[in-house]
Amino acid sequence: MLTKLLTLTLCASAAADVKLQRTVNALDPTFATATLNVDSGCASKDAFGSNDCDFAWGTTHTVAVDAALKKDVDATYTIHADLKLEAIFPLKFSCAACGATCSFEVPIIHKHYSFDTPACPIKATELTQSFTKVLPATSPVPLEAKFKGTIALTNATSTVIELAVEGELK
């Protein structure tokens, strides 16, 4: 789950030219630790890995993940996205972090997207893995857009991970 959240944050916004910058606003160290490093395309690095990234369509990148999920994720955890497209159009959704299908609509183009979250519970585990991600040759999104906002994982009592993300799809 942690890997999917980090990969989604880093790669899912990839487009013809995809720019992505993130700030880790919160990461409960009793819940998880994580770094995500990309072999090319990123101008800076911090304690959480690669940042200030600019990926061109059709490029291939190797992503190295080193993460430890220290607590199980069960049905009480929720993924929240609160983004704005072009500083005007809200893209907000909340979904169960496990055991469900998450669905949302992208404003402007009115396109529906969905993804299945892993089965519950997601057991505490450590992950050290590298994988290769090939970006599509052209943008799957039929427009250029800037986005900014937050993505978070919460439980009933606290925010365990929150990322501020900002980027641009060309």
XYZ file of all heavy atoms in Angstrom, residues 9-68:
424
model
N 1.915 8.865 -6.346
C 2.278 10.262 -6.174
C 3.374 10.673 -7.133
O 3.337 11.750 -7.704
C 2.736 10.505 -4.722
O 1.690 10.110 -3.849
C 3.065 11.958 -4.506
N 4.371 9.796 -7.326
C 5.486 10.143 -8.186
C 5.186 9.937 -9.652
O 5.493 10.772 -10.482
C 6.720 9.319 -7.804
C 7.986 9.638 -8.587
C 8.426 11.062 -8.295
C 9.079 8.660 -8.226
N 4.559 8.832 -10.010
C 4.463 8.445 -11.423
C 3.111 8.682 -12.056
O 3.039 8.907 -13.260
C 4.830 6.969 -11.585
S 6.530 6.629 -11.088
N 2.031 8.616 -11.312
C 0.718 8.672 -11.935
C 0.463 10.003 -12.596
O -0.350 10.106 -13.491
C -0.376 8.384 -10.921
N 1.171 11.012 -12.167
C 0.980 12.305 -12.788
C 1.897 12.483 -13.983
O 2.084 13.577 -14.473
C 1.202 13.392 -11.753
O 2.413 13.180 -11.104
N 2.470 11.390 -14.468
C 3.400 11.483 -15.592
C 2.660 11.753 -16.891
O 1.727 11.074 -17.220
C 4.188 10.196 -15.697
N 3.123 12.743 -17.658
C 2.522 13.091 -18.930
C 3.581 13.615 -19.870
O 4.702 13.800 -19.474
C 1.422 14.121 -18.698
N 3.208 13.919 -21.190
C 4.162 14.296 -22.251
C 5.392 14.898 -21.650
O 6.495 14.491 -21.935
C 3.518 15.267 -23.215
N 5.178 15.850 -20.889
C 6.212 16.353 -20.012
C 5.495 16.484 -18.696
O 4.530 17.212 -18.575
C 6.742 17.698 -20.513
C 7.981 18.139 -19.760
O 8.871 17.307 -19.553
O 8.044 19.318 -19.397
N 5.933 15.725 -17.735
C 5.284 15.728 -16.432
C 6.246 16.292 -15.414
O 7.357 15.799 -15.265
C 4.921 14.298 -15.995
C 4.244 14.307 -14.644
C 4.045 13.653 -17.018
N 5.805 17.322 -14.754
C 6.601 17.913 -13.690
C 5.918 17.610 -12.373
O 4.697 17.722 -12.267
C 6.743 19.413 -13.902
C 7.520 19.738 -15.159
C 7.701 21.222 -15.338
C 8.488 21.469 -16.610
N 8.738 22.893 -16.810
N 6.698 17.216 -11.392
C 6.142 16.867 -10.089
C 7.090 17.277 -8.986
O 8.287 17.006 -9.042
C 5.883 15.358 -9.996
C 5.313 14.867 -8.667
C 3.903 15.417 -8.452
C 5.282 13.353 -8.637
N 6.515 17.931 -8.002
C 7.246 18.312 -6.801
C 6.383 17.897 -5.626
O 5.163 18.053 -5.654
C 7.473 19.824 -6.795
C 8.210 20.329 -5.595
C 8.415 21.840 -5.673
O 7.530 22.567 -6.116
N 9.570 22.291 -5.265
N 7.000 17.341 -4.583
C 6.228 16.940 -3.415
C 6.951 17.342 -2.140
O 8.167 17.484 -2.100
C 5.935 15.447 -3.425
C 7.158 14.575 -3.506
C 7.511 13.926 -2.169
N 8.817 13.316 -2.301
C 9.884 13.759 -1.673
N 9.814 14.777 -0.876
N 11.047 13.174 -1.827
N 6.140 17.560 -1.120
C 6.635 17.835 0.222
C 5.927 16.868 1.147
O 4.706 16.707 1.061
C 6.307 19.287 0.644
O 6.900 20.184 -0.296
C 6.823 19.581 2.041
N 6.673 16.213 2.014
C 6.067 15.334 3.001
C 5.683 16.208 4.185
O 6.542 16.666 4.933
C 7.029 14.194 3.406
C 6.388 13.324 4.484
C 7.421 13.356 2.201
N 4.382 16.466 4.324
C 3.889 17.281 5.438
C 3.815 16.489 6.731
O 3.970 17.049 7.812
C 2.500 17.838 5.127
C 2.523 18.871 4.033
O 3.544 19.501 3.764
N 1.396 19.048 3.369
N 3.539 15.195 6.609
C 3.427 14.346 7.792
C 3.769 12.917 7.414
O 3.368 12.441 6.358
C 1.999 14.402 8.357
N 4.518 12.264 8.263
C 4.766 10.828 8.162
C 5.039 10.345 9.576
O 6.088 10.647 10.143
C 5.943 10.496 7.244
C 6.322 9.016 7.153
C 5.147 8.161 6.689
C 7.509 8.823 6.231
N 4.078 9.657 10.139
C 4.211 9.136 11.500
C 5.278 8.046 11.479
O 5.070 6.990 10.886
C 2.868 8.577 11.958
C 2.903 7.968 13.339
O 3.995 7.825 13.918
O 1.822 7.617 13.840
N 6.444 8.273 12.127
C 7.523 7.288 12.090
C 7.181 5.980 12.798
O 7.839 4.976 12.562
C 8.695 8.006 12.756
C 8.071 9.054 13.602
C 6.795 9.452 12.913
N 6.132 5.986 13.612
C 5.709 4.721 14.226
C 4.832 3.925 13.266
O 4.563 2.757 13.494
C 4.930 4.945 15.535
O 3.684 5.596 15.256
C 5.739 5.778 16.533
N 4.398 4.556 12.169
C 3.572 3.896 11.160
C 4.416 3.382 9.996
O 4.246 2.259 9.553
C 2.497 4.854 10.645
C 1.650 4.274 9.559
C 0.630 3.383 9.862
C 1.875 4.599 8.227
C -0.147 2.820 8.865
C 1.099 4.049 7.225
C 0.088 3.152 7.541
N 5.324 4.242 9.491
C 6.084 3.848 8.302
C 7.315 4.719 8.128
O 7.379 5.842 8.629
C 5.207 3.960 7.060
N 8.263 4.172 7.375
C 9.388 4.938 6.857
C 9.468 4.612 5.371
O 9.101 3.511 4.961
C 10.715 4.562 7.540
O 10.965 3.170 7.336
C 10.686 4.874 9.030
N 9.945 5.571 4.578
C 9.983 5.301 3.147
C 10.900 6.264 2.414
O 10.986 7.443 2.764
C 8.581 5.408 2.552
N 11.574 5.718 1.390
C 12.263 6.531 0.401
C 11.921 5.963 -0.969
O 11.715 4.755 -1.120
C 13.797 6.546 0.569
O 14.296 5.219 0.459
C 14.207 7.159 1.896
N 11.843 6.854 -1.952
C 11.560 6.464 -3.324
C 12.504 7.273 -4.208
O 12.433 8.496 -4.233
C 10.103 6.766 -3.655
C 9.606 6.232 -4.987
C 8.182 5.723 -4.835
C 9.685 7.274 -6.059
N 13.425 6.581 -4.871
C 14.418 7.250 -5.700
C 14.254 6.846 -7.158
O 14.090 5.666 -7.462
C 15.826 6.909 -5.217
C 16.120 7.575 -3.887
O 16.201 8.791 -3.808
N 16.252 6.786 -2.839
N 14.310 7.853 -8.036
C 14.195 7.642 -9.475
C 15.577 7.884 -10.078
O 16.268 8.834 -9.703
C 13.158 8.600 -10.092
C 12.994 8.350 -11.573
C 11.825 8.470 -9.375
N 15.972 7.039 -11.034
C 17.328 7.101 -11.585
C 17.622 8.357 -12.398
O 18.775 8.754 -12.517
C 17.623 5.859 -12.420
C 16.768 5.762 -13.680
O 15.700 6.412 -13.744
O 17.163 5.025 -14.595
N 16.614 8.998 -12.970
C 16.852 10.197 -13.762
C 15.589 11.047 -13.815
O 14.504 10.569 -13.538
C 17.285 9.822 -15.189
O 16.258 9.088 -15.827
N 15.790 12.322 -14.143
C 14.657 13.215 -14.310
C 14.322 14.063 -13.100
O 13.434 14.904 -13.173
N 15.025 13.864 -11.987
C 14.713 14.620 -10.771
C 15.893 15.504 -10.391
O 17.041 15.070 -10.420
C 14.365 13.673 -9.628
S 12.917 12.653 -10.000
N 15.595 16.744 -10.028
C 16.635 17.735 -9.764
C 17.116 17.757 -8.328
O 18.178 18.307 -8.042
C 16.131 19.123 -10.153
N 16.345 17.182 -7.397
C 16.768 17.230 -6.000
C 16.363 15.952 -5.274
O 15.632 15.116 -5.802
C 16.175 18.457 -5.293
O 14.772 18.320 -5.160
N 16.866 15.852 -4.059
C 16.625 14.680 -3.221
C 16.528 15.161 -1.784
O 17.194 16.123 -1.392
C 17.820 13.733 -3.375
C 17.576 12.308 -3.026
C 18.841 11.500 -3.267
C 18.536 10.424 -4.253
N 19.604 9.442 -4.362
N 15.685 14.502 -0.989
C 15.609 14.800 0.432
C 15.540 13.479 1.193
O 15.806 12.418 0.625
C 14.432 15.728 0.753
C 13.075 15.144 0.404
O 12.956 13.914 0.199
O 12.096 15.909 0.343
N 15.173 13.534 2.452
C 15.140 12.326 3.286
C 14.156 11.283 2.775
O 14.246 10.114 3.158
C 14.786 12.711 4.727
N 13.230 11.671 1.900
C 12.222 10.748 1.387
C 12.507 10.306 -0.056
O 11.741 9.548 -0.628
C 10.828 11.375 1.494
C 10.500 11.767 2.912
C 10.603 13.083 3.315
C 10.150 10.811 3.844
C 10.327 13.448 4.628
C 9.883 11.157 5.153
C 9.973 12.485 5.549
N 13.585 10.815 -0.637
C 13.971 10.388 -1.972
C 13.930 11.492 -2.997
O 14.074 12.676 -2.679
N 13.722 11.100 -4.251
C 13.749 12.015 -5.393
C 12.623 13.038 -5.320
O 11.526 12.749 -4.840
C 13.629 11.223 -6.694
O 14.705 10.330 -6.830
N 12.923 14.250 -5.843
C 11.938 15.323 -5.838
C 12.245 16.263 -7.008
O 13.269 16.125 -7.662
C 11.971 16.074 -4.502
C 10.701 16.852 -4.243
O 9.724 16.770 -4.981
N 10.697 17.629 -3.181
N 11.360 17.201 -7.241
C 11.507 18.174 -8.322
C 11.780 17.457 -9.641
O 12.791 17.666 -10.298
C 12.627 19.173 -8.008
C 12.365 19.943 -6.727
O 11.235 20.444 -6.564
O 13.275 20.021 -5.888
N 10.841 16.613 -10.021
C 11.033 15.731 -11.175
C 10.368 16.282 -12.435
O 9.340 16.954 -12.365
C 10.473 14.350 -10.858
S 11.259 13.599 -9.403
N 10.964 15.965 -13.564
C 10.462 16.352 -14.872
C 10.687 15.159 -15.798
O 11.824 14.837 -16.141
C 11.208 17.586 -15.385
C 10.586 18.170 -16.643
O 9.767 17.497 -17.294
O 10.934 19.323 -16.977
N 9.604 14.486 -16.156
C 9.684 13.280 -16.971
C 9.087 13.547 -18.345
O 7.998 14.106 -18.451
C 8.912 12.124 -16.321
C 9.354 11.808 -14.927
C 8.500 12.006 -13.848
C 10.625 11.302 -14.676
C 8.899 11.699 -12.560
C 11.031 10.994 -13.385
C 10.167 11.193 -12.328
N 9.777 13.115 -19.382
C 9.276 13.255 -20.745
C 8.497 12.002 -21.125
O 8.805 10.900 -20.667
C 10.440 13.470 -21.706
N 7.498 12.190 -21.980
C 6.746 11.046 -22.486
C 7.690 10.078 -23.178
O 8.637 10.475 -23.848
C 5.679 11.479 -23.484
C 4.506 12.140 -22.843
C 4.124 13.432 -22.994
C 3.577 11.542 -21.964
N 3.005 13.677 -22.245
C 2.644 12.523 -21.594
C 3.442 10.272 -21.415
C 1.600 12.285 -20.730
C 2.396 10.027 -20.551
C 1.481 11.026 -20.218
N 7.417 8.804 -23.011
C 8.169 7.762 -23.697
C 9.488 7.405 -23.046
O 10.211 6.565 -23.567
N 9.820 8.022 -21.916
C 11.081 7.708 -21.250
C 10.908 6.558 -20.269
O 9.810 6.273 -19.805
C 11.665 8.934 -20.522
O 10.704 9.426 -19.573
C 12.011 10.043 -21.506
N 12.018 5.914 -19.975
C 12.043 4.783 -19.053
C 12.822 5.185 -17.806
O 13.893 5.789 -17.911
C 12.721 3.563 -19.719
O 11.979 3.239 -20.903
C 12.755 2.374 -18.786
N 12.282 4.833 -16.652
C 12.923 5.181 -15.385
C 12.955 3.967 -14.465
O 12.004 3.190 -14.419
C 12.164 6.320 -14.691
C 12.091 7.554 -15.533
N 13.099 8.484 -15.571
C 11.162 7.985 -16.408
C 12.784 9.437 -16.417
N 11.594 9.160 -16.938
N 14.044 3.840 -13.736
C 14.133 2.818 -12.698
C 13.830 3.485 -11.366
O 14.407 4.525 -11.030
C 15.532 2.165 -12.674
O 15.750 1.556 -13.942
C 15.625 1.114 -11.589
N 12.915 2.891 -10.630
C 12.471 3.430 -9.351
C 12.898 2.453 -8.259
O 12.625 1.252 -8.351
C 10.934 3.602 -9.338
C 10.467 4.165 -8.002
C 10.484 4.492 -10.489
N 13.583 2.972 -7.240
C 14.012 2.150 -6.108
C 13.208 2.557 -4.878
O 13.183 3.732 -4.498
C 15.506 2.334 -5.845
N 12.551 1.586 -4.281
C 11.725 1.814 -3.093
C 12.370 1.118 -1.907
O 12.774 -0.045 -2.004
C 10.297 1.247 -3.298
C 9.457 1.419 -2.049
C 9.629 1.892 -4.498
N 12.470 1.832 -0.808
C 12.935 1.253 0.450
C 11.939 1.713 1.506
O 11.944 2.889 1.900
C 14.345 1.722 0.782
C 14.935 1.004 1.988
O 14.274 0.101 2.537
O 16.060 1.354 2.382
N 11.047 0.826 1.913
C 9.956 1.221 2.797
C 9.724 0.176 3.882
O 9.999 -1.006 3.691
C 8.677 1.409 1.991
N 9.223 0.643 4.991
C 8.826 -0.245 6.078
C 7.465 0.196 6.589
O 7.312 1.326 7.061
C 9.855 -0.212 7.211
